[in-house]
Amino acid sequence: MAKDLKFSEYPFKVPSEKTIVAKCEKLVKDIIDSKDAKTCITAIKKWNKYSNTLNTQVSIIYVLYSLETDNKKYVKAQDKVNEISPVLSNYSNRIAKFITKVSFRAELEKKFGAYLFEMYDASLKAFDEKLIPDMIEENKLTSEYDQILGGAQIEFDGKVLNLSQLGKYMQDKDQEVRKSAAIAMDKWLGEHEEAIGNIYDKLVHLRDGMAKKLGFDNFVELGYLRLGRTDYNAKMVADYRAQIAKDVVPLCNKLYKEQMKNLGIKKPQYYDYNLMFKSGNPTPAGEEKYLIEKAYEMYSALGTESKEFFKFMMDHELLDLTARKGKTTGGYCTSFSDYKAPFIFSNFNGTSGDVNVLTHEGGHAFQYYLSRDIKIPEYVNPTLESCEIHSMSMEFFAWPYMEGFFGKDAEKYKYSHLCDAIEFLPYGITIDEFQHWVYENPNATHEERCAKFHEIESRYTPHKKYDFTPTLAKGTYWLRQSHVFGSPFYYIDYTLAQVCAFQFANENLKDHDKAWKKYVKLCKCGGKYPFLTLLEKNHIRNPFVDGTVKKAIAPLKKVLATFDSSKF
Ligand code: ZN
């Protein structure tokens, strides 16, 4: 039974490496020494219990650290966790090595399901102890990248701003403000282009080297394995990108034209598209307390499970939403397995993003809440593309409740939310196609990479013009996309999930009860199946099948037509 504690009552324990190593050695030895399936199953259960407790401690530390990055106690604890994590992954690797090759594997598969073993097989193909120094180097390079971006200090408007603060000016209602902010950004990028380009070059060679050490031709297949993609490959992804190019890019070009017509801009630049409406972007009708109240109303109306879920979040202090000094940036959803509790972190700042947290991160948290009783830890959360279906679909289930969140701006929000969701797809495939090319041509120079990026973006996002921003004009937009550096090939997942979420959006319009039931069932599956099986079991059309994108988009075109965007 999970203890019924509130977040502030959770014990704060800093793990000691010595204790952990001793305990893990013992538990792993018990697994490896087992002579039959029954003993092995008991030993695995003990290991699972302990690793759940460890993961809970690690999550608590991470959350506390992200809430108070200026608290020395938490910074020290987080440093400790960073040191210990590679040691822990080595234990999982030893277990995987043993149980995938053991004589009684079939009996274990019967108990735990074959998919767990497919995951282990994939993780073994993607990992070898001899790669550890390369992996440490990879982490180091990624942090160097994060530090350059996070440490950006740009003088603008009489202030010194970081990139996200400057980003706000690029959405300003005044075109001149947008333009000068974009020029300041471009200047900063120009000054750091060489340093960032060098980091990427090192990462590409490092990853290519790791792939070759494991016997792969290049990093592509290894990258897929690292993401746990057991049921689709690069060829299927390339064909899927072609669907987006054919069925979504022309629609986006039309939407962009309309947007510029409404704004009255004759020769738009890339930053002009950040402003959706002449009257400004939609803003929520209240702050945290108000929005939480509205969210509770929404989750209560959606269904009994979601009502119980949101009440649980409120009663157990599992929401920390408003921006404060000391908090890290961004937003995320995590969980504490020993308490069977999800947690949502964000930085409310009075923009429509605040509502997205309550719907998008809320969707992630709801899925965890519904699968928290799954016994096998590997089956609680699915792979990343599946995870985003839960969150992105919830954004659409939330549509009928937007009057509560936005008041008079509700219609504006819905229209811009739908446009954003559709318009994201061409950018998503740009980033993905670029990465495939990079790892298939690891010896290309920085200039060649930029030229390739420029060629791809001209095909998929031809509306973007960089007349006043010479660095971006060279094809360097990707330098600011952190996924390209830290999580190769991950980006396409958002687009795959979006195409699935569109299906929920469409079904919700036709028959809410049926669509909601289907969604709850999907969430309850947790991570029991790989992506394509999960879709099949839940009657969601497979994005890789030709025609799926077109079918998902067609009804949305009709929804778009119900809005008169010139009035906003
Ligand atoms: Zn998400």
Side-chain angles (χ1 to χ4, degrees):
M1 255 302 277
K3 280 173 243 139
D4 194 40
L5 298 182
K6 292 179 179 169
F7 179 71
S8 60
E9 298 165 339
Y10 289 178
F12 170 68
K13 267 193 214 146
V14 185
S16 124
E17 187 165 347
K18 228 175 111 194
T19 324
I20 292 178
V21 166
K23 185 98 186 163
C24 288
E25 285 293 339
K26 163 90 180 68
L27 289 167
V28 170
K29 193 172 176 300
D30 286 349
I31 296 176
I32 293 175
D33 285 350
S34 49
K35 296 277 177 285
D36 55 68
K38 201 169 160 254
T39 341
C40 190
I41 289 167
T42 314
I44 289 173
K45 281 185 182 163
K46 277 193 190 151
W47 163 260
N48 284 345
K49 190 163 180 276
Y50 183 65
S51 60
N52 271 346
T53 302
L54 266 186
N55 288 333
T56 305
Q57 282 180 16
V58 166
S59 287
I60 293 172
I61 289 171
Y62 181 68
V63 171
L64 289 171
Y65 163 75
S66 52
L67 292 172
E68 293 180 41
T69 53
D70 42 10
N71 184 326
K72 285 205 178 96
K73 190 170 78 171
Y74 299 150
V75 175
K76 240 178 104 184
Q78 185 57 43
D79 284 345
K80 192 93 213 154
V81 168
N82 292 343
E83 272 169 40
I84 298 174
S85 312
V87 182
L88 290 178
S89 44
N90 206 24
Y91 287 113
S92 331
N93 188 251
R94 273 166 64 189
I95 297 173
K97 260 189 189 157
F98 173 77
I99 68 167
T100 47
K101 292 190 182 69
V102 77
S103 58
F104 45 80
R105 168 170 167 157
E107 281 170 80
L108 296 179
E109 277 193 22
K110 226 172 132 192
K111 172 76 189 172
F112 296 116
Y115 177 42
L116 182 66
F117 289 80
E118 282 165 32
M119 283 196 261
Y120 279 142
D121 288 334
S123 77
L124 286 174
K125 270 193 237 161
F127 179 84
D128 190 285
E129 262 171 74
K130 65 184 174 210
L131 299 188
I132 292 180
D134 292 341
M135 290 163 85
I136 293 171
E137 178 65 13
E138 192 182 8
N139 285 341
K140 220 184 93 209
L141 288 166
T142 311
S143 328
E144 265 176 46
Y145 170 80
D146 289 340
Q147 276 157 18
I148 295 182
L149 264 81
Q153 296 211 311
I154 303 163
E155 276 182 47
F156 190 79
D157 192 26
K159 296 179 201 121
V160 178
L161 306 175
N162 64 24
L163 286 169
S164 77
Q165 288 165 325
L166 184 65
K168 267 196 182 166
Y169 287 92
M170 287 168 62
Q171 300 176 20
D172 200 275
K173 274 198 251 177
D174 181 342
Q175 190 180 28
E176 277 311 307
V177 174
R178 291 198 298 276
K179 182 177 168 182
S180 41
I183 290 171
M185 180 90 78
D186 198 69
K187 189 169 161 275
W188 180 88
L189 195 62
E191 286 160 7
H192 294 82
E193 182 187 349
E194 196 184 338
I196 302 176
N198 278 339
I199 292 176
Y200 193 56
D201 192 58
K202 284 184 195 160
L203 278 169
V204 171
H205 284 290
L206 193 64
R207 287 171 181 149
D208 186 58
M210 285 196 255
K212 284 178 177 144
K213 280 180 199 169
L214 292 177
F216 297 106
D217 289 343
N218 58 43
F219 179 71
V220 178
E221 201 181 336
L222 176 58
Y224 276 52
L225 284 169
R226 295 214 295 198
L227 290 166
R229 293 177 183 169
T230 53
D231 54 355
Y232 61 94
N233 58 33
K235 165 84 175 64
M236 290 158 82
V237 172
D239 291 344
Y240 161 76
R241 287 195 305 263
Q243 287 189 65
I244 305 277
K246 185 163 74 60
D247 297 315
V248 184
V249 170
L251 171 64
C252 292
N253 292 339
K254 201 178 131 241
L255 290 172
Y256 287 130
K257 260 202 194 118
E258 239 167 64
Q259 184 187 350
M260 288 306 122
K261 199 175 146 221
N262 291 338
L263 292 174
I265 298 177
K266 291 268 159 19
K267 277 190 158 182
Q269 293 296 305
Y270 84 96
Y271 46 80
D272 289 321
Y273 296 92
N274 297 337
L275 181 70
M276 195 72 192
F277 309 109
K278 221 173 190 165
S279 57
N281 292 346
T283 43
E287 295 187 347
E288 175 169 340
K289 197 169 163 281
Y290 173 85
L291 294 179
I292 287 184
E293 226 171 79
K294 292 292 150 194
Y296 184 51
E297 282 173 23
M298 174 184 88
Y299 283 111
S300 302
L302 279 170
T304 43
E305 287 106 333
S306 52
K307 180 181 181 183
E308 188 196 296
F309 148 73
F310 206 74
K311 188 160 180 353
F312 180 86
M313 300 295 285
M314 295 190 299
D315 291 349
H316 293 81
E317 305 168 350
L318 299 165
L319 303 155
D320 196 303
L321 303 176
T322 298
R324 277 197 305 279
K325 195 179 156 280
K327 272 174 100 166
T328 53
T329 52
Y332 63 80
C333 169
T334 185
S335 57
F336 312 108
S337 30
D338 274 2
Y339 305 102
K340 297 194 175 183
F343 185 94
I344 298 177
F345 171 99
S346 73
N347 280 286
F348 276 14
N349 61 1
T351 66
S352 64
D354 298 358
V355 176
N356 285 350
V357 168
L358 288 165
T359 56
H360 182 101
E361 301 303 334
H364 285 307
F366 184 52
Q367 176 263 317
Y368 176 81
Y369 186 81
L370 290 183
S371 29
R372 62 190 190 150
D373 289 321
I374 294 174
K375 294 269 187 312
I376 299 162
E378 287 87 347
Y379 289 163
V380 176
N381 294 310
T383 42
L384 299 165
E385 71 294 79
S386 303
C387 279
E388 294 304 321
I389 307 178
H390 312 127
S391 52
M392 290 173 155
S393 303
M394 187 64 97
E395 293 177 26
F396 287 106
F397 281 114
W399 266 37
Y401 307 94
M402 285 304 141
E403 271 73 26
F405 289 114
F406 284 100
K408 60 172 183 30
D409 275 358
E411 289 303 295
K412 242 187 181 183
Y413 172 80
K414 285 192 234 173
Y415 179 73
S416 63
H417 172 241
L418 184 54
C419 289
D420 284 347
I422 295 172
E423 289 165 0
F424 171 71
L425 299 175
Y427 178 66
I429 62 166
T430 304
I431 290 292
D432 186 64
E433 187 166 322
F434 173 64
Q435 295 186 81
H436 282 84
W437 184 85
V438 165
Y439 290 106
E440 280 159 10
N441 300 277
N443 295 320
T445 61
H446 174 71
E447 282 66 34
E448 287 166 336
R449 285 180 191 136
C450 293
K452 186 68 193 176
F453 187 86
H454 186 62
E455 184 255 308
I456 301 171
E457 70 171 349
S458 314
R459 262 188 283 132
Y460 297 148
T461 51
H463 66 289
K464 283 187 177 173
K465 297 282 178 274
Y466 303 110
D467 294 348
F468 307 104
T469 46
T471 307
L472 285 178
K474 289 191 280 182
T476 56
Y477 201 92
W478 57 278
L479 292 173
R480 287 200 51 212
Q481 191 63 58
S482 64
H483 303 68
V484 171
F485 294 78
S487 324
F489 298 121
Y490 170 31
Y491 214 63
I492 200 75
D493 292 36
Y494 293 108
T495 75
L496 292 168
Q498 192 65 271
V499 170
C500 299
F502 285 159
Q503 300 178 47
F504 275 109
N506 293 330
E507 288 170 36
N508 190 41
L509 289 172
K510 266 195 262 161
D511 183 343
H512 166 75
D513 290 340
K514 203 173 147 205
W516 179 253
K517 250 192 211 147
K518 184 169 157 174
Y519 173 73
V520 168
K521 186 178 160 252
L522 171 80
C523 290
K524 283 183 178 168
C525 288
K528 283 194 247 178
Y529 311 106
F531 182 50
L532 298 184
T533 314
L534 183 75
L535 298 184
E536 202 186 303
K537 291 219 179 254
N538 288 283
H539 310 288
I540 299 168
R541 281 204 191 95
N542 176 347
F544 295 122
V545 172
D546 195 35
T548 301
V549 171
K550 195 175 180 180
K551 278 191 195 116
I553 290 283
L556 296 176
K557 286 187 186 166
K558 286 186 195 146
V559 176
L560 283 171
T562 62
F563 294 93
D564 180 359
S565 63
S566 66
K567 281 198 182 135
F568 291 136

